[in-house]
Amino acid sequence: MTRIFRLDASIRGEASVSRALSDTLLETLTSELGDVASVTRRDLAADPVPPTAWSLAANAGFVPEEQRTAEQVDAVAYARTLADEAAAADVLIIGAPFYNFGVSQHTKAWLDILITDSRFAPGTQPGAGKTALLVASRGGGYSEGTPRYGWDHGTPWLVRIFRDVFGYETEIIETELTLAEHTPAMAHLVDLAKEHRARAHEAAAEHGKRVAAIYTDAAAA
Ligand SMILES: Cc1cc2nc3c(=O)[nH]c(=O)nc-3n(C[C@H](O)[C@H](O)[C@H](O)COP(=O)(O)O)c2cc1C
């Protein structure tokens, strides 16, 4: 049975581009997998990691269990819940909206506390044999040759964590220039933005089919 975990972090609700792309990806994946998929979702905008949870859980790691404060015990239990959700899944869909030239604070907080759980500690490779699909959405343009090439400090960091630290087979589905339709100075980029977005939805569907085929074949073998 293929288990899917979907993380959303966009603060933009219905207007979110990363959520729309993750919808396409998830819908394709689940319809291709048929009734074999279970889906767990966590929405960090609706349910953010509490601000003190990470420092409490991280410091608890240096304290013998019997000496932990009640707050540390609660934070460790919360970290375990988040780690349970991610560890149980074969496929992760990670919505990655781009804010202030990096990942959302919600995503950073989620990853920080996830890593306090021993199953996600660096060196443990919790993603070996599993798949992570990063769904990145950026308002501006950051491709090679543009003035802000090199300013995307979000996507490369996520790839570093999911592929290199956790060991997931990691792919990126991405779009950019999403601010064009709402920013007069970017009016000349609206058509290009629409093209990018349409291609990203196509890529999301392609990855959904590709990943579903991997897990369907594995189940049949
Ligand atoms: C608070 C905030 C900060 C943002 N910062 C940036 C930024 O630094 N660079 C950029 O290109 N776009 C920025 N954007 C635009 C987002 O990248 C864009 O809206 C993207 O579609 C976000 O994904 P989402 O639609 O899923 O929320 C920002 C948007 C918000 C709401």
Side-chain angles (χ1 to χ4, degrees):
M1 182 169 185
T2 307
R3 291 150 303 181
I4 300 166
F5 172 69
R6 170 173 169 174
L7 186 76
D8 285 296
S10 172
I11 61 170
R12 301 194 323 114
E14 293 290 305
S16 165
V17 176
S18 61
R19 285 175 194 268
L21 289 171
S22 291
D23 286 346
T24 298
L25 176 55
L26 182 59
E27 279 159 22
T28 311
L29 195 50
T30 50
S31 77
E32 292 284 318
L33 286 166
D35 59 359
V36 291
S38 75
V39 181
T40 302
R41 293 182 62 159
R42 180 166 285 272
D43 185 340
L44 294 173
D47 189 11
V49 173
T52 56
W54 170 64
S55 57
L56 286 164
N59 282 317
F62 300 101
V63 179
E65 263 183 57
E66 65 282 3
Q67 291 174 24
R68 289 177 186 164
T69 64
E71 288 83 2
Q72 285 175 328
V73 170
D74 287 349
V76 169
Y78 177 73
R80 191 177 307 121
T81 301
L82 300 190
D84 285 347
E85 290 172 354
D90 306 295
V91 181
L92 307 184
I93 296 175
I94 305 294
F98 186 68
Y99 300 142
N100 301 324
F101 305 103
V103 295
S104 153
Q105 62 162 293
H106 293 323
T107 310
K108 180 69 165 66
W110 179 80
L111 273 162
D112 279 343
I113 195 160
L114 193 72
I115 289 172
T116 65
D117 186 278
S118 58
R119 287 165 290 174
F120 285 86
T124 53
Q125 296 281 295
K130 297 180 170 189
T131 306
L133 299 164
L134 310 181
V135 182
S137 171
R138 298 180 290 271
Y142 298 86
S143 55
E144 205 165 346
T146 62
R148 291 206 163 163
Y149 176 61
W151 285 50
D152 176 359
H153 302 289
T155 323
W157 180 75
L158 286 170
V159 172
R160 178 71 70 209
I161 296 289
F162 282 95
R163 181 178 291 159
D164 302 330
V165 178
F166 292 161
Y168 286 93
E169 183 68 42
T170 302
E171 296 290 343
I172 309 165
I173 294 141
E174 59 191 338
T175 192
E176 54 181 29
L177 302 176
T178 68
L179 286 174
E181 283 169 68
H182 318 283
T183 309
M186 293 173 75
H188 60 294
L189 296 169
V190 168
D191 287 344
L192 187 58
K194 285 182 180 163
E195 248 177 67
H196 273 301
R197 196 175 309 185
R199 278 209 303 272
H201 279 282
E202 282 167 22
E206 279 162 21
H207 278 289
K209 287 182 187 154
R210 180 186 63 79
V211 172
I214 293 170
Y215 288 90
T216 305
D217 291 349

